[in-house]
Amino acid sequence: GPYSQESFQFVNGTTSRSATISWRLRPLAVGTARVHSIVVQVGKQVAELTDLEVEVQQEPVESEEPQPSRDPFDRIFDPFGTRPGGRAARPRGDVFLRAEVTPDRAYVGQQVLYTLYLYTQSDISSINPENLPEFQGFWVREIPQPKHYQPEMVEVDGKRFARVRLLERALFPLRAGSFELEATRALMAVRVPVTSMRLSLLSQTEEIQRVSNTVSLTVEPLPDPPPGFSGAVGELSLSAELRPETLQVGEAATLELVLGGRGLLQGLPDPELPRLASVEVYPPQQRSTDEVRDGDVYGERRWSYVLVPERPGSLDIPPIDLPYFDPASARYRVASTEPLRLEVVPSTRVARAAGGEPSIHGIRSAAVPIGGSASMWWRRAPHGLMLAALLGLVVVWATRRSDRFTPEHREAVHRMEDRLESLAALDRPRQVAAELEAAWRDYLEHRWEVAPGVAANRWHDELTQRGANERASRDLERLVHDLHYLRYAPQLSSTEALQSELVQRSRQILRSLH
């Protein structure tokens, strides 16, 4: 040992939790054996246990009925009573690994479930996989397994086995073809009873190695796609929401599209919106999430478009269609949104004279008489122009200097610093990447007046036009590229270091920009 087990009970509205720790002891000599001075500390509470004694004699104690084992591991994984003290100690039977994929024929983008099973007729105390398939050519999503193994009894070639699901992976093929998934090798510790008359209550551990079978998988290409198909595969639905539904000319509305359902939706391009007259449409912000339900991956993809109407009136947004391939029916389907309407009213920001439209006045120039003092004016003109240009530069410089230290700018910097501090403590790489991009978007909007709908890959150009530090702008451009990788990397096993690095780089860029 030690062997440990936890249990949770809910009886008559009251919950209780218990933990059991046990050891198996072997006496070394005849006489009185004692276990003493055991102290258990839980939180701030300390309990001293009473001493225990057992008389050890030369010959085994005879008993008409076998005593039940007190080892809690017996109740976790001892399917055939192979532990001494169980129903019947017996030699170790067969132990093997088997890998399966469901289905074994799939389409590109369709989920395939890879499962590694352990079949055993013996008591397994530990399992240590030495290698797993690399799953090249697939997006891979881990399926969480329960903390404790839950064996089920099955029959193989006329023999009864306990079968345990060791691991599962959801695989999404990226290309068509025939795939051979490598075998998995694992080391196991098997408990074998000692058959000696004098040592009938003991067992020993034997280490064995087992290798699973390889698995073949055939991936079919998708049929010829319809117009507008962008690679979505699964059982999907599309919805749209417009906020607000009424606004003034020049204000912004948000159109959010949500694609969700059974399937992995990573890496899909942005949907194309129908052409909207007199409306400026900014590239969308996007966010992806996924979860596992009963072994299936369900994804959700959100696109948020910023719409800025340029004239009043009613704006009808027709249904938005997104073709996708449904593997269950092996045919293409179309997910569509409901039509939407945006009411745009005249802006009240422009002052109107007597209730009419504002008038536009031309630039008036005063006539300068030729002769007299005119020659003096022309002689002084170069100096006057130079003085005016110098004053202009001073005004621009002063304006930028004052802009550098506005209260709104200080607030944006402090808010960005606080968000970076909170993101450094998170341990979910995809969430960190999404929130880090959102934090930069908020900072650029309030410090550099970069519209929130501007795509992240255009931030460098926007900052350059506003006179920001060129090197910091380039660093931010590279940061955006790495953020995209962190959000859509197929496997996240090696991204923790990148996550910490991106937060630290964001701090350095922030210091250079402001």
Side-chain angles (χ1 to χ4, degrees), residues 466-484:
R466 290 161 174 77
N469 183 287
E470 172 65 21
R471 180 175 180 179
S473 301
R474 286 293 181 189
D475 291 342
L476 182 58
E477 185 178 36
R478 287 188 287 268
L479 178 76
V480 168
H481 180 272
D482 292 340
L483 283 177
H484 187 272

PDB file of all heavy atoms in Angstrom, residues 466-484:
ATOM      1  N   ARG A 466      -1.541  56.781 -37.321  1.00  0.00           N
ATOM      2  CA  ARG A 466      -1.733  57.674 -36.172  1.00  0.00           C
ATOM      3  C   ARG A 466      -0.427  58.059 -35.497  1.00  0.00           C
ATOM      4  O   ARG A 466      -0.434  58.670 -34.423  1.00  0.00           O
ATOM      5  CB  ARG A 466      -2.673  57.010 -35.167  1.00  0.00           C
ATOM      6  CG  ARG A 466      -4.111  56.928 -35.671  1.00  0.00           C
ATOM      7  CD  ARG A 466      -4.905  55.896 -34.898  1.00  0.00           C
ATOM      8  NE  ARG A 466      -6.324  55.891 -35.275  1.00  0.00           N
ATOM      9  CZ  ARG A 466      -6.818  55.356 -36.376  1.00  0.00           C
ATOM     10  NH1 ARG A 466      -5.988  54.791 -37.242  1.00  0.00           N
ATOM     11  NH2 ARG A 466      -8.106  55.398 -36.637  1.00  0.00           N
ATOM     12  N   GLY A 467       0.701  57.670 -36.112  1.00  0.00           N
ATOM     13  CA  GLY A 467       2.003  58.090 -35.602  1.00  0.00           C
ATOM     14  C   GLY A 467       2.501  57.301 -34.413  1.00  0.00           C
ATOM     15  O   GLY A 467       3.332  57.811 -33.648  1.00  0.00           O
ATOM     16  N   ALA A 468       2.037  56.085 -34.240  1.00  0.00           N
ATOM     17  CA  ALA A 468       2.498  55.275 -33.119  1.00  0.00           C
ATOM     18  C   ALA A 468       3.904  54.764 -33.374  1.00  0.00           C
ATOM     19  O   ALA A 468       4.416  54.815 -34.498  1.00  0.00           O
ATOM     20  CB  ALA A 468       1.537  54.108 -32.891  1.00  0.00           C
ATOM     21  N   ASN A 469       4.536  54.264 -32.335  1.00  0.00           N
ATOM     22  CA  ASN A 469       5.879  53.720 -32.431  1.00  0.00           C
ATOM     23  C   ASN A 469       5.899  52.583 -33.448  1.00  0.00           C
ATOM     24  O   ASN A 469       5.164  51.598 -33.310  1.00  0.00           O
ATOM     25  CB  ASN A 469       6.322  53.220 -31.040  1.00  0.00           C
ATOM     26  CG  ASN A 469       7.746  52.710 -31.037  1.00  0.00           C
ATOM     27  OD1 ASN A 469       8.026  51.643 -31.570  1.00  0.00           O
ATOM     28  ND2 ASN A 469       8.636  53.469 -30.420  1.00  0.00           N
ATOM     29  N   GLU A 470       6.753  52.698 -34.474  1.00  0.00           N
ATOM     30  CA  GLU A 470       6.774  51.726 -35.563  1.00  0.00           C
ATOM     31  C   GLU A 470       7.198  50.341 -35.065  1.00  0.00           C
ATOM     32  O   GLU A 470       6.590  49.328 -35.434  1.00  0.00           O
ATOM     33  CB  GLU A 470       7.735  52.198 -36.659  1.00  0.00           C
ATOM     34  CG  GLU A 470       7.988  51.177 -37.769  1.00  0.00           C
ATOM     35  CD  GLU A 470       6.746  50.863 -38.588  1.00  0.00           C
ATOM     36  OE1 GLU A 470       5.812  51.695 -38.583  1.00  0.00           O
ATOM     37  OE2 GLU A 470       6.712  49.797 -39.229  1.00  0.00           O
ATOM     38  N   ARG A 471       8.193  50.283 -34.220  1.00  0.00           N
ATOM     39  CA  ARG A 471       8.670  48.985 -33.738  1.00  0.00           C
ATOM     40  C   ARG A 471       7.603  48.306 -32.879  1.00  0.00           C
ATOM     41  O   ARG A 471       7.370  47.098 -33.004  1.00  0.00           O
ATOM     42  CB  ARG A 471       9.948  49.169 -32.945  1.00  0.00           C
ATOM     43  CG  ARG A 471      10.519  47.863 -32.412  1.00  0.00           C
ATOM     44  CD  ARG A 471      11.853  48.075 -31.743  1.00  0.00           C
ATOM     45  NE  ARG A 471      12.408  46.824 -31.241  1.00  0.00           N
ATOM     46  CZ  ARG A 471      13.572  46.720 -30.621  1.00  0.00           C
ATOM     47  NH1 ARG A 471      14.332  47.804 -30.452  1.00  0.00           N
ATOM     48  NH2 ARG A 471      13.995  45.552 -30.184  1.00  0.00           N
ATOM     49  N   ALA A 472       6.947  49.090 -32.018  1.00  0.00           N
ATOM     50  CA  ALA A 472       5.885  48.510 -31.188  1.00  0.00           C
ATOM     51  C   ALA A 472       4.728  48.022 -32.048  1.00  0.00           C
ATOM     52  O   ALA A 472       4.110  46.990 -31.755  1.00  0.00           O
ATOM     53  CB  ALA A 472       5.404  49.529 -30.163  1.00  0.00           C
ATOM     54  N   SER A 473       4.421  48.745 -33.123  1.00  0.00           N
ATOM     55  CA  SER A 473       3.345  48.323 -34.024  1.00  0.00           C
ATOM     56  C   SER A 473       3.688  47.005 -34.693  1.00  0.00           C
ATOM     57  O   SER A 473       2.824  46.135 -34.854  1.00  0.00           O
ATOM     58  CB  SER A 473       3.087  49.417 -35.070  1.00  0.00           C
ATOM     59  OG  SER A 473       2.729  50.633 -34.463  1.00  0.00           O
ATOM     60  N   ARG A 474       4.948  46.851 -35.106  1.00  0.00           N
ATOM     61  CA  ARG A 474       5.367  45.591 -35.724  1.00  0.00           C
ATOM     62  C   ARG A 474       5.322  44.443 -34.706  1.00  0.00           C
ATOM     63  O   ARG A 474       4.930  43.313 -35.029  1.00  0.00           O
ATOM     64  CB  ARG A 474       6.786  45.733 -36.277  1.00  0.00           C
ATOM     65  CG  ARG A 474       6.884  46.559 -37.541  1.00  0.00           C
ATOM     66  CD  ARG A 474       6.180  45.847 -38.695  1.00  0.00           C
ATOM     67  NE  ARG A 474       6.291  46.617 -39.933  1.00  0.00           N
ATOM     68  CZ  ARG A 474       5.637  46.325 -41.041  1.00  0.00           C
ATOM     69  NH1 ARG A 474       4.805  45.281 -41.055  1.00  0.00           N
ATOM     70  NH2 ARG A 474       5.768  47.058 -42.124  1.00  0.00           N
ATOM     71  N   ASP A 475       5.736  44.722 -33.471  1.00  0.00           N
ATOM     72  CA  ASP A 475       5.671  43.696 -32.427  1.00  0.00           C
ATOM     73  C   ASP A 475       4.233  43.274 -32.174  1.00  0.00           C
ATOM     74  O   ASP A 475       3.952  42.090 -31.947  1.00  0.00           O
ATOM     75  CB  ASP A 475       6.302  44.214 -31.139  1.00  0.00           C
ATOM     76  CG  ASP A 475       7.804  44.379 -31.256  1.00  0.00           C
ATOM     77  OD1 ASP A 475       8.399  43.780 -32.184  1.00  0.00           O
ATOM     78  OD2 ASP A 475       8.396  45.118 -30.434  1.00  0.00           O
ATOM     79  N   LEU A 476       3.320  44.236 -32.210  1.00  0.00           N
ATOM     80  CA  LEU A 476       1.907  43.904 -32.014  1.00  0.00           C
ATOM     81  C   LEU A 476       1.390  43.053 -33.173  1.00  0.00           C
ATOM     82  O   LEU A 476       0.573  42.144 -32.980  1.00  0.00           O
ATOM     83  CB  LEU A 476       1.083  45.191 -31.890  1.00  0.00           C
ATOM     84  CG  LEU A 476      -0.414  45.000 -31.640  1.00  0.00           C
ATOM     85  CD1 LEU A 476      -0.657  44.193 -30.371  1.00  0.00           C
ATOM     86  CD2 LEU A 476      -1.114  46.350 -31.562  1.00  0.00           C
ATOM     87  N   GLU A 477       1.868  43.325 -34.395  1.00  0.00           N
ATOM     88  CA  GLU A 477       1.471  42.529 -35.552  1.00  0.00           C
ATOM     89  C   GLU A 477       1.900  41.070 -35.381  1.00  0.00           C
ATOM     90  O   GLU A 477       1.130  40.142 -35.660  1.00  0.00           O
ATOM     91  CB  GLU A 477       2.081  43.124 -36.813  1.00  0.00           C
ATOM     92  CG  GLU A 477       1.648  42.443 -38.106  1.00  0.00           C
ATOM     93  CD  GLU A 477       2.249  43.109 -39.335  1.00  0.00           C
ATOM     94  OE1 GLU A 477       3.411  43.569 -39.245  1.00  0.00           O
ATOM     95  OE2 GLU A 477       1.574  43.179 -40.367  1.00  0.00           O
ATOM     96  N   ARG A 478       3.123  40.850 -34.909  1.00  0.00           N
ATOM     97  CA  ARG A 478       3.586  39.482 -34.668  1.00  0.00           C
ATOM     98  C   ARG A 478       2.830  38.839 -33.508  1.00  0.00           C
ATOM     99  O   ARG A 478       2.559  37.634 -33.515  1.00  0.00           O
ATOM    100  CB  ARG A 478       5.092  39.500 -34.395  1.00  0.00           C
ATOM    101  CG  ARG A 478       5.939  39.762 -35.646  1.00  0.00           C
ATOM    102  CD  ARG A 478       7.408  39.577 -35.359  1.00  0.00           C
ATOM    103  NE  ARG A 478       7.937  40.673 -34.556  1.00  0.00           N
ATOM    104  CZ  ARG A 478       8.486  41.762 -35.063  1.00  0.00           C
ATOM    105  NH1 ARG A 478       8.567  41.924 -36.372  1.00  0.00           N
ATOM    106  NH2 ARG A 478       8.941  42.705 -34.264  1.00  0.00           N
ATOM    107  N   LEU A 479       2.496  39.640 -32.513  1.00  0.00           N
ATOM    108  CA  LEU A 479       1.729  39.118 -31.385  1.00  0.00           C
ATOM    109  C   LEU A 479       0.366  38.606 -31.839  1.00  0.00           C
ATOM    110  O   LEU A 479      -0.105  37.556 -31.393  1.00  0.00           O
ATOM    111  CB  LEU A 479       1.566  40.200 -30.319  1.00  0.00           C
ATOM    112  CG  LEU A 479       0.747  39.808 -29.091  1.00  0.00           C
ATOM    113  CD1 LEU A 479       1.567  38.907 -28.178  1.00  0.00           C
ATOM    114  CD2 LEU A 479       0.274  41.045 -28.332  1.00  0.00           C
ATOM    115  N   VAL A 480      -0.275  39.343 -32.745  1.00  0.00           N
ATOM    116  CA  VAL A 480      -1.588  38.933 -33.260  1.00  0.00           C
ATOM    117  C   VAL A 480      -1.479  37.585 -33.963  1.00  0.00           C
ATOM    118  O   VAL A 480      -2.356  36.718 -33.822  1.00  0.00           O
ATOM    119  CB  VAL A 480      -2.140  40.015 -34.209  1.00  0.00           C
ATOM    120  CG1 VAL A 480      -3.348  39.492 -34.982  1.00  0.00           C
ATOM    121  CG2 VAL A 480      -2.519  41.258 -33.418  1.00  0.00           C
ATOM    122  N   HIS A 481      -0.416  37.387 -34.717  1.00  0.00           N
ATOM    123  CA  HIS A 481      -0.217  36.103 -35.410  1.00  0.00           C
ATOM    124  C   HIS A 481      -0.106  34.957 -34.414  1.00  0.00           C
ATOM    125  O   HIS A 481      -0.713  33.885 -34.587  1.00  0.00           O
ATOM    126  CB  HIS A 481       1.036  36.186 -36.279  1.00  0.00           C
ATOM    127  CG  HIS A 481       1.331  34.918 -37.030  1.00  0.00           C
ATOM    128  ND1 HIS A 481       2.099  33.898 -36.486  1.00  0.00           N
ATOM    129  CD2 HIS A 481       0.947  34.486 -38.264  1.00  0.00           C
ATOM    130  CE1 HIS A 481       2.179  32.908 -37.357  1.00  0.00           C
ATOM    131  NE2 HIS A 481       1.496  33.234 -38.444  1.00  0.00           N
ATOM    132  N   ASP A 482       0.641  35.160 -33.332  1.00  0.00           N
ATOM    133  CA  ASP A 482       0.803  34.114 -32.327  1.00  0.00           C
ATOM    134  C   ASP A 482      -0.491  33.884 -31.557  1.00  0.00           C
ATOM    135  O   ASP A 482      -0.778  32.764 -31.129  1.00  0.00           O
ATOM    136  CB  ASP A 482       1.934  34.471 -31.374  1.00  0.00           C
ATOM    137  CG  ASP A 482       3.295  34.433 -32.059  1.00  0.00           C
ATOM    138  OD1 ASP A 482       3.397  33.777 -33.114  1.00  0.00           O
ATOM    139  OD2 ASP A 482       4.238  35.062 -31.559  1.00  0.00           O
ATOM    140  N   LEU A 483      -1.266  34.943 -31.343  1.00  0.00           N
ATOM    141  CA  LEU A 483      -2.569  34.781 -30.692  1.00  0.00           C
ATOM    142  C   LEU A 483      -3.488  33.896 -31.524  1.00  0.00           C
ATOM    143  O   LEU A 483      -4.225  33.060 -30.979  1.00  0.00           O
ATOM    144  CB  LEU A 483      -3.229  36.149 -30.472  1.00  0.00           C
ATOM    145  CG  LEU A 483      -2.703  36.997 -29.325  1.00  0.00           C
ATOM    146  CD1 LEU A 483      -3.416  38.340 -29.295  1.00  0.00           C
ATOM    147  CD2 LEU A 483      -2.894  36.280 -27.996  1.00  0.00           C
ATOM    148  N   HIS A 484      -3.447  34.078 -32.829  1.00  0.00           N
ATOM    149  CA  HIS A 484      -4.276  33.246 -33.709  1.00  0.00           C
ATOM    150  C   HIS A 484      -3.861  31.790 -33.605  1.00  0.00           C
ATOM    151  O   HIS A 484      -4.715  30.889 -33.562  1.00  0.00           O
ATOM    152  CB  HIS A 484      -4.144  33.732 -35.151  1.00  0.00           C
ATOM    153  CG  HIS A 484      -5.084  33.053 -36.101  1.00  0.00           C
ATOM    154  ND1 HIS A 484      -4.761  31.875 -36.741  1.00  0.00           N
ATOM    155  CD2 HIS A 484      -6.336  33.369 -36.500  1.00  0.00           C
ATOM    156  CE1 HIS A 484      -5.768  31.499 -37.493  1.00  0.00           C
ATOM    157  NE2 HIS A 484      -6.735  32.376 -37.371  1.00  0.00           N
TER     158      HIS A 484
END
